[in-house]
Amino acid sequence: DRTEWKPCKQWYQRRVRGRRKRTQKQEAPSTLSLSSSLPPLQSLVMSSLRVLLLSIFALIVLVSCTQSSNLVAHNRGDYLGWEEIVQSGNLDESILTTITFYLKHRDVEEMKEMVKAVSYPKSQSYGKYLSREEVAKFVSQPQDVIEKVLSWIYQKGVPQENVELLHTKDVIKVRNLTPSMIESMMSVPLVLYKHNTKHITLARSPYHYILPDEISQHVDLVRGVSDFPIISSRNRPSHYVNSKAKLVEQDAEKMKTKASLPPPYISMAQGVDKSILVTFIPSCHNANVSFTLPPCSDFPPAVDLVQQLAVPFYNTDTDVFFQTSMPECFITEGTPVWCTLTLDVDNYLPLNYSLNLIYTDSSQSPLAQWGYAVVASPMQIPQTVKALYNIPEGYRVTNFSFTQSVAEFEQQYYSEDDLYLFFSEMGLPTDTIVDIVGPNLLPIGIEANLDIQYIMGIGVGVETVFWSIAANSTAEIDDILSWAVAISNTANPPIVNSLSYGMTEGNVDTYLGNGYLKRSDQEFMKLALMGITIIIADGDDGASDLGGPPMGTSTCKPLHADWPSQSPYVTSVGATMVTPFAEPICYLNTYEGGINCEHNPLGEIPTSMESGLFWTTGGGYSNTSTPLDFQVNISKTYLSKLQQIGAMPPAGYFNPNGRPYPDIATVGHNLYITYNGSWMPVDGTSASAPIFGGIVSLLNDIRLNANKPPLGFLNPLIYAIYNEYPEAYNDVVYGNNRCGGVGDFPECCPYGYTAVPGWDAITGVGTPNFEVLSRVILRY
């Protein structure tokens, strides 16, 4: 029974073995019973006394074991790939662990009201943010409660030098704890685990930790005992690579068929500037896949040529794109041959792509179709982004009293050389200061390079902090709660912070620990009280955050929100792509009244598989959090519009009373970055978040130069401007986000959210019009 802690089981086993031994002695002729040598009455008394003493002793043991018998097992480690290698009681005491106690806040409802007071534009206290010291006084428990928890920790044998009460007095870090110390404090056994894909070990408990009642009433959660690091990346960049070998085994499985000559299998078809890049597995005669070059030479006839065809979905001046060419093919050990192709096309046209093979005997394979639209479009650079959002070219901040930041997890590090190359080639100033908090090592990360290049490429001249979260081991990722605590405990923190990380809302507590999501919201509130802006990328997997656990989900009902985008106290940013096909009429057939939009002015639509990309922006409704008051009517209006056009997800698919997101959007497709000295295009809401972060820094520059406070928690102001100056945003009116990806393959849910005129759950209020925003922000 895994619900019983081992020490109590051992006591029980000793008691059973002891009784058996005594029974054997009683049966032996040489054994003399004490009660048998006494008179009957005294014998009866002694027997009763012995029974009473044993009962009392058993009761004492039962009470002492009650906690352990109430242990609640979890299977986080099993789900996340952690395997037990050393059982409880056998751990080396040299294994040291840091655990963190998150003390309850004094009055969460009062915190909410104070956030409104300093963040709502119509409030008399708007912009009157709290200092770090004032936040500590406002949120922390009374000193006697803090001392009570600290005293309990010391009583467990922890040296005072290993205990740190953070500045805000609501978090206690306890370092260098041995396994026996943690078992004593948490009343759970510790086990040594090793991850099944990496050479990483750590001590954790397979049970939920247990605190004494007098301590647990003051603690929200404890990290480092029952939570397991997630070894599954969920940062946001989607980038173009020629190699798709990791898909080949899965693709080969999908090719199995009874047909003697099946069509080839297309792993990916994705648009770049004026071309489509394709990865596919050739099919051979007799339903075989090839393991030699040229393809199918081991099952002749061999592949000679490939015919590619791309047909526009909608009304254009172009009929088809057709090309016959030789593919470039590769062998990866243990997997079938896979090949790549490029087809030249016009930009912006949503295309239906297909290919077939021509063999050396002139026979041809059946046609293979890519099941989704594919579209090519030009690269985006800081200058084109600024032009899109009416930011004056050459704009550079003149107020140097504040900083902006990108937060990085998963050992994502940036290259100073790549950043210099980016600035030099883009014609941007190269003298802006970059401060590094935490490690910045090797290897270089695409995510980290993207984030810092675009927040600085838009927020030109702003001193920038590269805030890298150091993990206790190389396993730990996306500890956004730790980041938020670190920011609130910093003397002069960055006032604009962009994060491109997260996971599915419903998985947060399951994998990161009970109470993690709720406490994160409270930490975001603390930052709002300090006037700090938090900008979050809202995910690249559509309305249901598809992708599989632990970071995503594999189901469409209910639709799953993305965390922390769904928090009411962060600004969630969706992604768009630039296209002249930006109106619903562009997507109608001619007999339905559709028109050719190929030569229309450029606009924006949500990034979506159904619009021609290989990923879909997030957005939707939270299943756990509720909206702040300024979102309530906007959400009702949106749902009413969905009802009118027949696009409302049915009951049971979403929570109409949940916090709707995103709040705003910016371009997230084909952003050009430097990586290891070369240029490459990158996609994702990972690009959208730092772009918007840079825009917010420019707006802060304007306010600070006018002796106004920084923007702080943005959402109340975003929606106030939306209601009073709707021209401050570019409305995005076409698209949906029902599709995502499970594993490496596209997947579409039956329902998602649809873009409509006005606010919607794909692009929020729309994309920013800086020319208007730069004027109206001075009116608040």
Side-chain angles (χ1 to χ4, degrees):
D1 182 2
R2 292 193 65 190
T3 61
E4 181 182 28
W5 189 20
K6 197 172 181 180
C8 283
K9 182 182 288 187
Q10 289 172 340
W11 173 85
Y12 171 77
Q13 290 171 343
R14 286 198 300 270
R15 289 290 299 151
V16 171
R17 286 195 293 269
R19 283 199 296 270
R20 287 173 181 166
K21 289 177 182 178
R22 283 193 294 272
T23 301
Q24 291 168 355
K25 289 179 181 179
Q26 288 169 359
E27 292 172 353
S30 60
T31 301
L32 178 64
S33 171
L34 175 62
S35 59
S36 65
S37 64
L38 295 173
L41 181 59
Q42 289 178 310
S43 176
L44 179 61
V45 171
M46 289 298 294
S47 296
S48 300
L49 180 60
R50 184 170 63 183
V51 171
L52 178 61
L53 290 173
L54 287 173
S55 300
I56 292 173
F57 180 69
L59 180 61
I60 292 171
V61 173
L62 177 62
V63 171
S64 67
C65 289
T66 296
Q67 274 192 324
S68 57
S69 65
N70 288 332
L71 288 177
V72 178
H74 62 75
N75 50 10
R76 292 188 191 116
D78 297 338
Y79 280 135
L80 297 174
W82 292 96
E83 299 172 348
E84 181 180 320
I85 58 174
V86 179
Q87 293 184 351
S88 173
N90 299 317
L91 271 67
D92 192 322
E93 286 293 286
S94 65
I95 300 172
L96 302 179
T97 302
T98 296
I99 66 175
T100 305
F101 291 82
Y102 291 86
L103 304 183
K104 290 182 183 293
H105 288 128
R106 185 192 300 260
D107 191 330
V108 176
E109 292 304 315
E110 191 176 1
M111 287 175 65
K112 293 177 181 179
E113 291 304 312
M114 182 60 76
V115 168
K116 291 181 179 181
V118 301
S119 304
Y120 280 36
K122 301 299 183 182
S123 167
Q124 293 184 347
S125 298
Y126 179 58
K128 296 179 180 178
Y129 305 121
L130 277 61
S131 67
R132 181 177 62 165
E133 290 72 24
E134 290 170 330
V135 167
K137 292 179 181 178
F138 187 73
V139 305
S140 64
Q141 292 283 342
Q143 188 62 30
D144 63 321
V145 171
I146 298 172
E147 292 295 338
K148 180 180 179 180
V149 177
L150 288 172
S151 177
W152 173 77
I153 293 173
Y154 298 143
Q155 289 171 11
K156 293 297 181 178
V158 180
Q160 290 193 19
E161 60 268 22
N162 291 0
V163 181
E164 179 188 8
L165 175 66
L166 299 191
H167 196 95
T168 49
K169 295 185 177 182
D170 56 350
V171 176
I172 300 172
K173 287 188 175 292
V174 187
R175 298 181 172 87
N176 299 324
L177 290 177
T178 65
S180 59
M181 283 181 174
I182 295 177
E183 289 183 338
S184 174
M185 294 177 71
M186 299 290 118
S187 299
V188 291
L190 235 56
V191 171
L192 190 65
Y193 289 88
K194 180 180 178 180
H195 198 266
N196 58 19
T197 62
K198 296 190 177 183
H199 298 293
I200 302 166
T201 60
L202 80 166
R204 286 293 191 271
S205 177
Y207 303 99
H208 295 286
Y209 58 82
I210 299 174
L211 296 175
D213 290 343
E214 65 271 17
I215 300 301
S216 66
Q217 63 179 317
H218 303 302
V219 176
D220 271 336
L221 77 155
V222 180
R223 294 272 293 157
V225 180
S226 303
D227 52 281
F228 283 75
I230 299 172
I231 314 293
S232 177
S233 173
R234 179 64 187 283
N235 55 15
R236 311 293 192 187
S238 305
H239 56 91
Y240 300 105
V241 291
N242 290 327
S243 171
K244 290 290 181 182
K246 65 177 182 176
L247 300 178
V248 171
E249 280 190 54
Q250 297 163 287
D251 293 345
E253 274 296 308
K254 294 196 171 190
M255 290 179 64
K256 289 183 177 179
T257 175
K258 295 181 179 179
S260 60
L261 181 54
Y265 187 84
I266 302 173
S267 297
M268 184 65 72
Q270 53 196 31
V272 291
D273 192 4
K274 294 185 178 180
S275 61
I276 299 174
L277 304 181
V278 181
T279 303
F280 72 96
I281 297 177
S283 57
C284 307
H285 282 250
N286 298 317
N288 289 303
V289 292
S290 181
F291 291 86
T292 62
L293 293 178
C296 297
S297 57
D298 47 351
F299 300 102
V303 174
D304 186 17
L305 297 169
V306 179
Q307 294 182 137
Q308 300 182 83
L309 178 67
V311 180
F313 270 95
Y314 307 104
N315 309 297
T316 71
D317 297 333
T318 305
D319 290 330
V320 297
F321 299 93
F322 180 81
Q323 183 175 312
T324 301
S325 58
M326 293 184 64
E328 185 176 8
C329 298
F330 308 87
I331 295 179
T332 303
E333 185 176 354
T335 61
V337 171
W338 55 280
C339 305
T340 62
L341 286 166
T342 300
L343 176 63
D344 295 332
V345 298
D346 291 345
N347 279 334
Y348 302 124
L349 301 179
L351 300 170
N352 185 351
Y353 176 86
S354 59
L355 64 81
N356 74 304
L357 309 180
I358 301 176
Y359 300 94
T360 52
D361 67 351
S362 298
S363 63
Q364 296 188 20
S365 74
L367 198 67
Q369 288 192 318
W370 177 244
Y372 303 86
V374 59
V375 64
S377 59
M379 302 300 174
Q380 298 293 328
I381 61 175
Q383 288 82 352
T384 60
V385 173
K386 291 174 184 177
L388 186 64
Y389 299 134
N390 292 323
I391 302 171
E393 182 56 42
Y395 188 105
R396 183 171 181 172
V397 300
T398 56
N399 191 302
F400 305 109
S401 64
F402 71 99
T403 60
Q404 63 185 5
S405 174
V406 291
E408 304 296 335
F409 307 85
E410 304 179 17
Q411 294 74 56
Q412 279 281 329
Y413 309 122
Y414 88 99
S415 165
E416 295 180 7
D417 291 340
D418 284 341
L419 184 61
Y420 183 83
L421 175 62
F422 181 80
F423 285 158
S424 300
E425 296 294 324
M426 292 293 179
L428 298 170
T430 60
D431 58 348
T432 304
I433 297 172
V434 178
D435 303 310
I436 298 175
V437 175
N440 188 45
L441 309 171
L442 293 174
I444 302 304
I446 294 173
E447 173 68 54
N449 268 15
L450 166 65
D451 288 348
I452 198 163
Q453 288 173 22
Y454 271 85
I455 197 171
M456 297 184 73
I458 302 300
V460 178
V462 182
E463 182 176 345
T464 301
V465 179
F466 181 82
W467 199 298
S468 175
I469 297 297
N472 294 329
S473 73
T474 55
E476 300 190 34
I477 68 167
D478 291 19
D479 192 354
I480 293 173
L481 179 57
S482 290
W483 166 82
V485 168
I487 290 287
S488 66
N489 280 276
T490 299
N492 294 297
I495 64 171
V496 178
N497 298 269
S498 172
L499 286 80
S500 299
Y501 299 80
M503 67 190 301
T504 297
E505 170 188 63
N507 292 353
V508 174
D509 282 6
T510 300
Y511 295 114
L512 299 180
N514 293 337
Y516 192 100
L517 188 149
K518 182 178 179 181
R519 180 55 183 249
S520 296
D521 274 353
Q522 294 177 28
E523 293 301 322
F524 299 150
M525 279 192 269
K526 281 167 53 182
L527 298 179
L529 292 175
M530 298 171 68
I532 294 173
T533 300
I534 310 170
I535 296 167
I536 305 288
D538 81 345
D540 299 346
D541 296 298
S544 200
D545 224 21
L546 293 173
M551 308 308 285
T553 65
S554 303
T555 62
C556 296
K557 185 179 181 179
L559 297 171
H560 301 275
D562 190 74
W563 172 88
S565 286
Q566 47 64 258
S567 170
Y569 299 99
V570 306
T571 298
S572 174
V573 182
T576 64
M577 61 180 290
V578 177
T579 177
F581 291 79
E583 309 292 338
I585 198 170
C586 303
Y587 296 88
L588 297 177
N589 292 307
T590 305
Y591 65 85
E592 296 174 307
I595 63 172
N596 181 359
C597 296
E598 191 173 358
H599 306 292
N600 280 14
L602 292 178
E604 294 173 87
I605 61 174
T607 55
S608 170
M609 289 181 179
E610 292 195 310
S611 296
L613 301 191
F614 54 97
W615 64 284
T616 302
T617 188
Y621 282 77
S622 170
N623 294 309
T624 63
S625 62
T626 56
L628 298 182
D629 51 13
F630 50 80
Q631 273 198 308
V632 173
N633 288 334
I634 284 175
S635 175
K636 289 180 179 179
T637 299
Y638 171 63
L639 295 179
S640 176
K641 292 176 181 178
L642 290 187
Q643 191 77 47
Q644 291 172 14
I645 63 175
M648 173 86 85
Y653 272 87
F654 79 113
N655 173 22
N657 299 313
R659 155 20 178 183
Y661 73 99
D663 303 296
I664 200 165
T666 66
V667 64
H669 175 52
N670 267 7
L671 280 300
Y672 220 29
I673 72 164
T674 53
Y675 176 67
N676 281 337
S678 300
W679 290 90
M680 64 182 297
V682 179
D683 271 38
T685 52
S686 280
S688 304
I691 285 172
F692 186 62
I695 292 173
V696 174
S697 288
L698 299 182
L699 295 174
N700 272 328
D701 179 63
I702 294 170
R703 282 183 63 86
L704 292 170
N705 284 334
N707 294 316
K708 289 182 175 289
L711 295 171
F713 172 40
L714 283 174
N715 293 4
L717 180 62
I718 286 175
Y719 289 92
I721 292 174
Y722 172 78
N723 288 324
E724 297 178 38
Y725 307 98
E727 68 274 18
Y729 306 108
N730 308 306
D731 200 5
V732 179
V733 297
Y734 176 82
N736 72 75
N737 68 345
R738 72 186 184 95
C739 297
V742 176
D744 291 297
F745 299 99
E747 185 77 24
C748 288
C749 293
Y751 302 99
Y753 300 99
T754 300
V756 299
W759 186 93
D760 56 58
I762 310 179
T763 58
V765 295
T767 59
N769 182 341
F770 184 83
E771 190 277 326
V772 177
L773 287 170
S774 63
R775 289 185 284 106
V776 302
I777 58 165
L778 296 178
R779 301 173 185 175
Y780 297 91

